[in-house]
Amino acid sequence: MARHIDPNLNRKLRWPLLLTHMGLVAERVVRAWWPLWSVLFVGLALPMLGLQDLVAVEWIWAVGAVLLALVAWAVWRGARQFHWPSRDEALDRLDGSLKGNPIQAAMDTPAVGAQDAASMAVWQAHQARMMDRLNGAKPVEPDLKVSRADPFALRYVALLALSVAFLFGSFGRVQSVTNIGVGGPDLAQGPSWEGWLSPPSYTRLPTIYLNDITAENLEAPEGALITLRMYGEVGALSVDENISGRVLTPELAQDTAQDFDVVQAGRLAINGPNGRAWQIAMLPDQSPEIQRTGDIEVAYDGAALIPFAAQDDFGVEYGEARIVLALDEVDRRYGRALEPESRAAIKVPLPMPVAGSRVDFKENMGGNFSLHPWANLPVRLEMSVTDGRGQVARTEPELITLPGRRFFDPLAAAVIEQRQALLWNRENVDTISMLLRAISHRPNEIFRKPEHRKSLRDVLKKIEELAEGGISDEQQEELAEALWELAIELEEGDLQDALERLQRAQERLEEAMKNGASDQEIAELMQELREATRDYMRELARQNRQNEEPGEPMDPENMIELSQDDIQRMMDRIQELMEQGRMAEAQEALRQLQEMMENMEFTQGQGGQTPGEQAMDDLSETLRDQQELSDEAFQDLQEQFNPGNRQDGREPGQQQGEGEPGNQRGDGREGADGQGQGQDGLEQSLADRQRALRQELNRQRRGLPGQGTEAGRRSAEALEDADRAMDGAEEALRDGDLAEAIDQQSEAMEALRDGMRALGEAMAQQREQRDGQQGFAEGQDGGEQRDPLGRNQGTTGRSDTDEGLLQGEDVYRRAEELLGEIRRRSGEVERPEVERDYLDRLLERF
């Protein structure tokens, strides 16, 4: 029985209720009838593609019978499952989408107290508040997902088949369902012919069946292949054409099998019974184009992005950048007075769009040339691209400074200068030795730590020992690497704690101000300062949790509260002053910030961690463990094809022992001989760890908050998907299929992220409901713990918001760098096919 709705309420809900009702109808139609139109799509796609011409008539009848049976079943299923939604159902769905179910509340009547004026006043105020909420009522979107009913996505297969039929098939072929044989009945009635025009594969254009082309004019790309086959009596049919550039003799014109390319515009004719003629217009293949665009961006660590743009009518196949030393532009004083040693040109493959179009695109060639002997020296850059026809376009050689890392510490810059002199010409070794001795003459005045002085003396001793008998290529590279590591240590320092890192970041920023760093370098150093500040805050919070007794309270008159926004504004102001060239003011602001940070003390509110926060922390830990496990599996996959090229420094088949990074729980195992296990044992251990991780996830799934809500349901479903993916990853690891295991682990991580997002929504909804029912006394802190920047955190000290995780545009730059690195690796043909397939799947996913 339908419920009666007040006219005023009906006017407010008229359109939202109508649209919600229509959405319910669409939802039930889709869920009940998706098998029917899937079968119809397949039944229409098969004859459009002409598959009936390739099989016997018995197969056609058999497939037709199967399709009819499936149609009958789909009709029966749809009629059985479809029920027209009532207006009350739409009303309940709309009411459920609003906070507090205001529609039901507006239609209710008081059970008691109707005669009491005070009670009726409260009741009328309640209903008025509910009516106000109805002003924001919006239609509820229908849930058109049928993935549960169609776990194998058969509906998409049917849609794909129909799409392919529309693109490459023809409605004209449907009429030949009852015909038998290839080519139709005309071939059995006398002289006949067939022809195809096949464009070059790089054009990605479809092949044209010439028998279907009745128009007189036809366009063909340059290099297209014409294939003609003539049946019947020899000589009954002949070919007349002038598009291939060949000399057409009478014998060649009557040849029954002819293949030739389109090299020019002209006429193609088939003379004889049922003959046909076309005027061919050739579409020339244009040469590609490439040009450098924009400024070169260089990060403080030397990573460079060189933008370029490329165009081609059918798409660029690949590209390459070639860099050679501009010797005539080099300052030949000091360590470069001698002639440089001969070195090959630097060749870098240009990144190509993997998923997008290569007809007209812009990309950034990324790389870090800091270790190269030509770093920060004048070079000539030439970029080239090649299309599918082999045509090459090149840019004019451009004089640039090869991007490389700049060192702002004077001692580190001096060491790097001697490294470049060594790589320029090893005969500079005597001068290098003398200068390094001069640098280390008064070590107490220039070295911040004794370890730095010892490192320099060790390098100097090795240089002098090798200089006596001549330096080989391997020794030159070894010395250059030692000097580079020493310069990095001097530049970045051996940071013992967060405060030292913060002070070092400030010192480097001050040095950059004095040495006239670029805007990009200033931005990178400011980002480093922000990260050091966050680490310092985290260290303050950790030390506070370790102290059993709180420190003495500060005098409120001498205490200044700093929020995260305050510190962020101060850093933004410092960067703005530096970009404006007001270095003195920027240094003063930096000094004030330094004093505030050094005098900061940590304060924390009362209370502990809620069950929801604990659940989020546990899931975050599980996600990190799954990421580490996936990284190890990927490194093991690389090791299978590139032995000895591990990034973590382990030997093939050797696991990480206890205490090593990535194995904090001591999961590594060793054989009886103390050596690492073989590859099979390693994969078995990874499978055991995957199983343990899955068991931990199952424990965490029990008793999650937010049960009974839509967000809680989505969180449970996502975590169930993560459990299923982990199970698949464990099975793949036990079978030794690392590539499949990595795919499953990627799906598990994506499902974990979805589950955490949904769980956060459920917790937020619970907080809103609780806040709506209970008032908080003014001045209470809600029992939340906060770090020095005022962010909420759990008992573990980790922030429960994203306030400090995404700062500025650096996140997007980092994401672009990672995407560029994946594209670069996927384009390296020397990498194993399994690894490149995995990288391609990453690009498709992200």
Side-chain angles (χ1 to χ4, degrees):
M1 182 176 179
R3 287 174 290 182
H4 175 71
I5 302 179
D6 183 82
N8 294 331
L9 182 62
N10 189 43
R11 284 194 298 272
K12 286 190 175 184
L13 299 178
R14 179 182 179 184
W15 286 109
L17 185 59
L18 177 60
L19 295 176
T20 301
H21 191 261
M22 294 173 61
L24 273 175
V25 174
E27 180 180 312
R28 296 189 179 184
V29 167
V30 169
R31 293 183 177 180
W33 301 103
W34 71 264
L36 177 60
W37 58 63
S38 298
V39 175
L40 294 178
F41 286 171
V42 174
L44 184 60
L46 294 178
M48 289 179 62
L49 291 172
L51 299 181
Q52 70 278 359
D53 297 335
L54 305 178
V55 297
V57 67
E58 291 80 5
W59 281 102
I60 298 176
W61 286 107
V63 173
V66 172
L67 291 175
L68 287 176
L70 290 175
V71 168
W73 170 82
V75 171
W76 171 81
R77 177 187 180 277
R80 187 166 175 264
Q81 290 192 358
F82 180 75
H83 299 284
W84 188 268
S86 65
R87 190 168 182 267
D88 288 345
E89 290 177 317
L91 192 66
D92 290 339
R93 172 168 287 197
L94 180 60
D95 195 19
S97 67
L98 300 173
K99 183 178 180 181
N101 299 101
I103 299 177
Q104 184 64 41
M107 294 189 300
D108 285 343
T109 57
V112 295
Q115 305 302 325
D116 183 23
S119 299
M120 289 303 298
V122 173
W123 174 258
Q124 292 172 359
H126 169 67
Q127 284 203 319
R129 186 168 66 252
M130 294 295 103
M131 292 291 288
D132 289 339
R133 288 186 181 179
L134 293 178
N135 295 329
K138 295 182 180 180
V140 181
E141 296 183 0
D143 183 7
L144 302 180
K145 297 180 180 178
V146 293
S147 54
R148 288 188 175 181
D150 184 19
F152 299 103
L154 298 179
R155 62 194 186 283
Y156 293 127
V157 175
L159 181 60
L160 176 62
L162 184 63
S163 302
V164 172
F166 274 117
L167 290 174
F168 305 106
S170 171
F171 276 107
R173 293 181 180 176
V174 178
Q175 64 185 356
S176 65
V177 172
T178 58
N179 294 337
I180 302 176
V182 179
D186 292 341
L187 298 181
Q189 297 176 0
S192 59
W193 60 273
E194 283 188 297
W196 298 267
L197 187 152
S198 303
S201 59
Y202 63 84
T203 64
R204 298 174 179 84
L205 297 176
T207 298
I208 298 176
Y209 187 56
L210 293 178
N211 296 63
D212 290 341
I213 305 301
T214 58
E216 296 182 355
N217 298 320
L218 181 62
E219 294 181 344
E222 183 179 1
L225 175 65
I226 302 291
T227 301
L228 297 176
R229 297 294 182 265
M230 289 171 284
Y231 312 103
E233 182 181 356
V234 177
L237 296 172
S238 63
V239 175
D240 182 18
E241 59 87 10
N242 59 355
I243 59 175
S244 65
R246 60 179 181 165
V247 178
L248 198 63
T249 63
E251 294 78 11
L252 183 58
Q254 297 177 5
D255 193 353
T256 58
Q258 299 189 30
D259 302 277
F260 49 88
D261 294 333
V262 177
V263 298
Q264 60 188 15
R267 181 175 180 273
L268 170 63
I270 300 176
N271 301 320
N274 298 320
R276 201 170 298 172
W278 303 273
Q279 192 67 32
I280 305 294
M282 188 190 72
L283 301 177
D285 192 339
Q286 304 294 335
S287 298
E289 298 179 5
I290 182 174
Q291 56 272 348
R292 265 257 299 112
T293 59
D295 298 329
I296 300 177
E297 298 182 7
V298 185
Y300 81 99
D301 62 349
L305 292 177
I306 304 178
F308 69 93
Q311 306 87 28
D312 186 67
D313 48 0
F314 292 113
V316 175
E317 289 293 316
Y318 61 91
E320 183 182 73
R322 186 173 182 271
I323 301 173
V324 297
L325 179 65
L327 188 59
D328 53 335
E329 300 290 337
V330 176
D331 184 357
R332 299 298 299 276
R333 295 178 297 171
Y334 310 120
R336 302 187 185 94
L338 300 176
E339 288 298 315
E341 297 180 4
S342 177
R343 294 187 182 274
I346 303 174
K347 295 182 179 180
V348 181
L350 296 180
M352 296 286 120
V354 176
S357 172
R358 297 187 180 185
V359 173
D360 187 356
F361 64 94
K362 294 181 179 180
E363 281 286 351
N364 292 312
M365 185 191 80
N368 194 327
F369 305 98
S370 300
L371 294 175
H372 198 275
W374 300 342
N376 297 312
L377 292 181
V379 295
R380 287 186 171 87
L381 169 66
E382 180 184 79
M383 293 182 170
S384 63
V385 290
T386 306
D387 64 5
R389 195 169 177 80
Q391 302 176 106
V392 181
R394 293 185 174 86
T395 62
E396 292 293 329
E398 178 184 5
L399 182 64
I400 66 170
T401 298
L402 184 63
R405 175 164 184 166
R406 294 179 61 189
F407 289 80
F408 299 104
D409 184 272
L411 185 56
V415 172
I416 284 298
E417 185 177 352
Q418 301 314 307
R419 176 184 179 273
Q420 284 194 321
L422 175 65
L423 292 174
W424 182 267
N425 194 315
R426 68 195 73 189
E427 294 182 5
N428 286 322
V429 65
D430 293 333
T431 304
I432 295 172
S433 174
M434 178 184 65
L435 290 174
L436 290 180
R437 281 200 171 275
I439 290 173
S440 59
H441 174 58
R442 300 176 116 181
N444 295 331
E445 298 180 4
I446 61 174
F447 290 103
R448 293 188 301 272
K449 295 185 178 180
E451 293 84 355
H452 298 165
R453 177 181 60 187
K454 183 177 181 301
S455 298
L456 179 59
R457 288 184 175 178
D458 291 343
V459 174
L460 179 58
K461 181 179 179 182
K462 186 179 297 184
I463 290 176
E464 292 175 345
E465 290 176 354
L466 295 177
E468 297 177 357
I471 301 177
S472 63
D473 293 342
E474 293 77 9
Q475 293 169 342
Q476 185 186 36
E477 293 296 330
E478 182 181 353
L479 289 174
E481 182 179 359
L483 289 171
W484 176 265
E485 293 177 353
L486 175 59
I488 292 294
E489 188 176 355
L490 293 170
E491 178 76 8
E492 297 182 350
D494 185 13
L495 305 180
Q496 300 296 328
D497 51 40
L499 179 59
E500 185 177 351
R501 182 186 176 191
L502 178 62
Q503 293 171 343
R504 184 63 186 142
Q506 293 167 342
E507 291 175 4
R508 296 183 65 189
L509 189 57
E510 291 178 357
E511 291 293 335
M513 295 182 196
K514 297 176 183 178
N515 295 331
S518 64
D519 293 343
Q520 179 67 19
E521 290 169 332
I522 288 176
E524 294 289 343
L525 291 171
M526 284 299 302
Q527 180 64 24
E528 181 185 1
L529 180 60
R530 290 187 175 98
E531 294 174 358
T533 302
R534 289 199 300 269
D535 292 344
Y536 180 56
M537 296 296 183
R538 194 178 298 113
E539 179 66 15
L540 280 176
R542 186 188 66 80
Q543 291 180 357
N544 181 78
R545 290 192 304 272
Q546 291 178 350
N547 295 332
E548 297 181 356
E549 298 181 359
E552 297 182 359
M554 294 181 60
D555 183 2
E557 296 182 358
N558 298 327
M559 183 174 61
I560 299 177
E561 293 185 1
L562 282 179
S563 67
Q564 182 184 11
D565 292 338
D566 295 333
I567 295 181
Q568 181 68 36
R569 281 193 293 268
M570 292 183 68
M571 291 186 178
D572 292 342
R573 180 56 179 169
I574 293 172
Q575 185 170 357
E576 181 181 354
L577 290 173
M578 288 189 293
E579 292 174 351
Q580 294 175 358
R582 300 157 65 180
M583 294 301 175
E585 298 179 44
Q587 290 178 359
E588 177 62 22
L590 183 61
R591 185 190 61 78
Q592 294 176 2
L593 176 62
Q594 181 179 1
E595 292 179 356
M596 292 180 183
M597 298 298 296
E598 291 177 353
N599 296 327
M600 180 176 292
E601 290 190 7
F602 180 83
T603 59
Q604 176 176 293
Q606 302 298 323
Q609 197 174 33
T610 66
E613 292 171 345
Q614 182 63 45
M616 291 293 286
D617 286 346
D618 291 343
L619 289 175
S620 299
E621 185 69 23
T622 300
L623 179 60
R624 281 191 292 271
D625 291 343
Q626 183 63 78
Q627 181 65 63
E628 292 175 1
L629 191 60
S630 179
D631 291 342
E632 290 187 33
F634 182 65
Q635 291 174 354
D636 295 333
L637 179 63
Q638 286 182 311
E639 175 62 28
Q640 290 183 2
F641 301 96
N642 299 283
N645 192 32
R646 294 191 64 92
Q647 299 299 322
D648 55 5
R650 289 185 281 150
E651 296 297 328
Q654 181 183 354
Q655 301 179 52
Q656 291 175 328
E658 294 186 8
E660 293 179 2
N663 193 25
Q664 302 297 332
R665 301 178 180 180
D667 292 326
R669 305 176 184 174
E670 292 184 353
D673 57 354
Q675 301 300 323
Q677 298 175 352
Q679 187 68 25
D680 294 339
L682 177 60
E683 292 166 4
Q684 192 71 15
S685 176
L686 292 177
D688 293 340
R689 292 168 58 189
Q690 184 68 73
R691 180 179 60 184
L693 199 59
R694 181 188 174 209
Q695 292 173 349
E696 175 64 17
L697 177 62
N698 287 331
R699 183 192 66 78
Q700 297 169 4
R701 288 168 57 191
R702 294 192 292 269
L704 286 176
Q707 296 181 0
T709 64
E710 177 64 21
R713 182 187 63 81
R714 287 190 282 109
S715 176
E717 291 179 354
L719 295 180
E720 183 179 355
D721 293 340
D723 175 77
R724 190 180 303 110
M726 287 183 178
D727 186 31
E730 178 189 348
E731 182 178 354
L733 286 171
R734 296 196 187 281
D735 295 340
D737 189 353
L738 288 174
E740 177 63 22
I742 293 171
D743 285 343
Q744 293 289 341
Q745 289 169 340
S746 177
E747 294 180 7
M749 288 185 288
E750 186 65 27
L752 279 171
R753 295 187 185 99
D754 293 341
M756 293 173 65
R757 281 193 291 267
L759 180 59
E761 295 176 8
M763 293 169 58
Q765 292 176 4
Q766 285 187 337
R767 283 194 297 268
E768 290 178 1
Q769 294 176 358
R770 185 170 61 250
D771 294 344
Q773 298 173 0
Q774 300 179 8
F776 288 94
E778 185 175 354
Q780 283 187 332
D781 60 1
E784 294 179 345
Q785 298 178 357
R786 296 183 178 273
D787 65 5
L789 298 183
R791 298 174 299 186
N792 297 336
Q793 65 175 16
T795 57
T796 60
R798 290 188 294 269
S799 172
D800 65 353
T801 70
D802 293 338
E803 294 174 5
L805 301 180
L806 303 178
Q807 298 252 350
E809 300 180 355
D810 186 68
V811 174
Y812 303 102
R813 181 188 63 79
R814 179 59 178 161
E816 185 177 354
E817 290 177 356
L818 291 175
L819 186 60
E821 178 65 16
I822 294 175
R823 286 176 174 171
R824 184 188 67 79
R825 294 191 180 188
S826 67
E828 295 178 353
V829 295
E830 65 272 10
R831 290 185 177 273
E833 184 177 357
V834 174
E835 182 180 344
R836 286 188 281 116
D837 290 343
Y838 172 71
L839 295 173
D840 290 341
R841 289 195 294 273
L842 283 181
L843 290 170
E844 292 173 0
R845 181 180 296 272
F846 301 109

